[in-house]
Amino acid sequence: MTHTVDSDFDVIVVGGGPGGSTVASFVAMQGHRVLLLEKEEFPRHQIGESLLPSTVHGICKLLGVSEAMSQAGFMVKHGGTFRWGSNAEPWSFDFALSPKFAGPTSFAYQVERMKFDKLLLDNARAKGVDVRERSTVLDVVQEEGRVRGVTYDDEHGVRHSVRASFVVDASGNQSRLQGRIGGRREYSEFFQNIALFGYYEGGKRMPSPNSGNITCVAFGSGWFWYIPLSDSLTSVGVVLRRDQAHRVRGDRAEALAALIKECPLLSDFLCEARRVRSGPYGEVRIRKDYSYLHDTFWRPGMVLIGDAACFIDPLFSSGVHLATYSALLAARSINTSLRGDIDERECFTEYEARYRKEYGLFHDFLTAFYDVNRDEQEYFGEAKRVSKGAASEAVSFVELVGGGASDEGALISEAYQAQRRADLLDHVPQMHWEGQRIQLQATFGEVVGDVPLRESGLVESADGMHWMKSSQEPAPLA
């Protein structure tokens, strides 16, 4: 086998999904040399098709793909619909209920991941990332306790060694590198579920404006998702409890059809539909053991992002949100470390603390939401308790499931930030400018001096692409 040694890079990203393409773009946009290695060739099938407003109007805007997203023909999603809990009737929520998403940003998209992921990967190329598809990473290169690069085989079978200051593992739940970070992946005792899913043409749509909503329906053996990807194509999946895993043995298509018959609402939605039987959507697929959390997210020279670090039950469509949010946090840490402003350990400690907090919000709320003996008002109250915010219970629910509970400025609408800015200036006209300046810093990060989320924590820079130190005390808990 031919073995070559490539030129050095600043960063090597393993995996070209939303997390990988996002972190690669954000680092390349700062002028750093980035290599992205993806084992498959895009477009390729992937699950996780329901996006949140924080991704669409936050991350995608920072990446510069908002116009491409709007022109891609993705199904518009204004909220979600549930047949869940003690209420026998379906109930819906609207992203517009929260001021964080109100106005022109009160929607997200349902996306065909083959199209969405390729859009982000092509954008990474346009931002200067060296993207190499059909390149399988074999292992990391370690020297004196630090990760220094990777070895990989290209599409021609040539083995390469390439060095970098940082390696980002964005290769998903099947990562072969995550064990190199140290520690271990701990699987959830609570969410020991299995998912079975396929695609249908001709399924029913709810009346406007909810026709693009994701619908989640609880039934005796678990719950269904129903995601309209276009006017005719629908992603349909069932999440079964561990004690129902035997239901998916044998023919998967027959198993999915039998489970649909047990759920009246889904049976009605699909009564005139036909399952897609050819092409990338023609297979009925299984996912299992997908809720987990790694002991540690980084080591010197290496960081896990997205599904390589953790994943939680897909009920609230948090997968792409967590992947791209972690990519933004990791990019800040890498950019700051490469610039030499702050020590690597301090940067990545901030990364891990923030990513674990966001994961924890979804985990804790999902644990409560799986109690199907409550009504929606009780779920709203639980969202407020978990997020510890000042908003009403219903708004807290929308903010959490919309990806805005973290109050990360990059993930919420400009209209909300502008109103917060105006409110501050209107209500403190008697204050010295320095007092106004500190409040504006704390709320928007417009100039130096934002409030950290934890003691001795860092804050984001005005451009959102770096960390910086703060002289302020941590924000008090609500």
Side-chain angles (χ1 to χ4, degrees), residues 230-413:
S230 71
D231 289 340
S232 60
L233 180 66
T234 308
S235 171
V236 178
V238 60
V239 176
L240 297 171
R241 301 190 307 271
R242 186 180 185 182
D243 62 2
Q244 297 294 311
H246 64 280
R247 303 288 303 277
V248 302
R249 294 172 186 159
D251 188 281
R252 295 177 181 178
E254 291 180 1
L256 182 58
L259 287 161
I260 289 171
K261 289 181 179 179
E262 294 181 17
C263 183
L265 184 57
L266 262 291
S267 294
D268 177 61
F269 278 6
L270 296 170
C271 64
E272 298 178 357
R274 62 177 180 82
R275 187 176 66 80
V276 178
R277 298 175 182 271
S278 62
Y281 294 136
E283 180 182 351
V284 175
R285 295 175 167 90
I286 284 179
R287 283 285 301 272
K288 60 182 179 179
D289 294 333
Y290 51 68
S291 293
Y292 52 84
L293 182 67
H294 207 284
D295 284 347
T296 183
F297 290 177
W298 76 281
R299 61 172 288 192
M302 182 178 178
V303 60
L304 307 180
I305 71 167
D307 296 0
C310 56
F311 190 77
I312 190 62
D313 186 274
L315 180 57
F316 291 125
S317 308
S318 58
V320 174
H321 163 68
L322 289 172
T324 55
Y325 179 50
S326 67
L328 172 63
L329 298 176
R332 287 176 182 164
S333 300
I334 292 168
N335 291 336
T336 306
S337 296
L338 288 175
R339 197 162 68 176
D341 292 351
I342 300 174
D343 177 72
E344 174 185 349
R345 176 171 294 278
E346 195 170 354
C347 290
F348 284 97
T349 298
E350 187 70 32
Y351 160 75
E352 182 161 343
R354 291 191 182 226
Y355 192 19
R356 285 187 182 276
K357 178 183 177 183
E358 190 74 357
Y359 175 90
L361 284 173
F362 281 95
H363 179 278
D364 293 351
F365 183 55
L366 277 163
T367 302
F369 201 82
Y370 259 75
D371 180 356
V372 296
N373 296 311
R374 303 182 182 189
D375 63 25
E376 58 266 36
Q377 297 302 321
E378 292 177 277
Y379 296 134
F380 296 166
E382 191 65 28
K384 181 176 176 63
R385 184 193 69 79
V386 169
S387 60
K388 301 178 181 178
S392 70
E393 294 178 347
V395 171
S396 295
F397 175 84
V398 173
E399 290 176 353
L400 197 158
V401 302
S406 66
D407 252 341
E408 166 67 59
L411 305 183
I412 56 182
S413 75

Side-chain angles (χ1 to χ4, degrees), residues 2-55:
T2 304
H3 194 151
T4 68
V5 178
D6 291 2
S7 301
D8 291 352
F9 289 82
D10 295 310
V11 178
I12 299 169
V13 177
V14 183
S21 58
T22 295
V23 69
S25 296
F26 285 150
V27 174
M29 288 162 64
Q30 298 300 304
H32 302 301
R33 299 163 300 159
V34 183
L35 171 66
L36 187 152
L37 302 170
E38 165 56 47
K39 68 178 180 179
E40 298 187 63
E41 184 175 15
F42 283 30
R44 54 88 174 98
H45 174 269
Q46 185 58 271
I47 196 63
E49 298 138 326
S50 195
L51 304 187
L52 304 184
S54 58
T55 302

Side-chain angles (χ1 to χ4, degrees), residues 70-141:
S70 68
Q71 295 176 350
F74 296 135
M75 177 68 75
V76 175
K77 164 189 174 182
H78 291 290
T81 298
F82 289 87
R83 165 60 280 277
W84 197 280
S86 59
N87 189 341
E89 297 299 320
W91 50 275
S92 299
F93 70 89
D94 195 317
F95 293 129
L97 181 63
S98 167
K100 291 183 179 180
F101 308 127
T105 60
S106 59
F107 70 91
Y109 293 114
Q110 316 283 20
V111 298
E112 294 182 65
R113 286 287 300 275
M114 289 188 294
K115 297 178 181 178
F116 175 69
D117 290 12
K118 188 174 187 304
L119 185 154
L120 294 187
L121 190 63
D122 287 346
N123 182 66
R125 284 191 178 94
K127 294 291 191 293
V129 177
D130 184 344
V131 176
R132 302 179 189 178
E133 297 176 81
R134 298 176 64 185
S135 297
T136 301
V137 175
L138 305 173
D139 206 349
V140 300
V141 175

